Amino acid sequence: MFYLLALLIGIFSGFRTLTPITAVSWAARAGRLHLEGTWLSFLGAAISPYIFSVLALTELVTDKLPKTPSRKSPPQFISRVVMGAVAGAAIGASNQNLIAGLLLGAVGAVIGTLGGAEVRGRLARAFGRDLPAALIEDAVTIIGAFLVAFQNS
């Protein structure tokens, strides 16, 4: 089951870079992800979910700005894959399989980045503008990432 969860958290990282790692950090802090003794234990530190939450909220706002670069440009693409890999690694580590989680999170982020761009583009064309499509993507990412992160226990 954790294989699917790691892949899904990566896919959500392809939609929004920081929302899934925020969900993972909250889950770790709540004791739902067990990262003690791993290099990912910092995700469960008292301050971590708050820092990630501020960063994720900032991303949700800046994503709607007209000058925000495409998620497929190299810096944005790479950051999504890295954060997907870290979030997937946390899911994996909590299930004693950090490497598989890391790899699945990275693969999921590639799928989410490319697929998310395509779906959002189609939705934006259907709506005649991007904002409704972006808000739907936000909602799917927030709900999905938190369901995945907290399902892992």
Side-chain angles (χ1 to χ4, degrees):
M1 177 71 163
F2 93 87
Y3 295 106
L4 176 61
L5 296 175
L7 183 69
L8 285 172
I9 204 76
I11 290 171
F12 292 126
S13 294
F15 296 170
R16 292 287 176 273
T17 310
L18 296 167
T19 299
I21 196 69
T22 301
V24 164
S25 185
W26 279 108
R29 183 68 192 149
R32 299 294 294 268
L33 286 175
H34 304 286
L35 305 177
E36 304 82 11
T38 73
W39 62 271
L40 295 164
S41 62
F42 73 94
L43 291 170
I47 192 71
S48 294
Y50 296 100
I51 292 170
F52 282 115
S53 293
V54 169
L55 295 172
L57 288 170
T58 302
E59 179 187 27
L60 291 174
V61 171
T62 59
D63 173 69
K64 314 315 178 274
L65 300 176
K67 294 191 181 210
T68 300
S70 166
R71 73 181 77 201
K72 296 189 286 185
S73 67
Q76 283 71 21
F77 198 110
I78 291 166
S79 66
R80 289 168 194 264
V81 172
V82 168
M83 295 311 287
V86 172
I91 300 283
S94 188
N95 291 277
Q96 292 72 48
N97 207 333
L98 186 143
I99 299 299
L102 184 139
L103 293 173
L104 287 165
V107 168
V110 171
I111 294 167
T113 300
L114 299 175
E118 180 65 25
V119 170
R120 180 165 163 182
R122 288 180 186 207
L123 282 173
R125 285 189 295 282
F127 286 118
R129 55 191 210 139
D130 184 62
L131 184 60
L135 294 174
I136 289 169
E137 188 177 31
D138 289 346
V140 166
T141 304
I142 293 165
I143 293 166
F146 276 87
L147 285 174
V148 166
F150 278 83
Q151 173 67 35
N152 190 57
S153 60

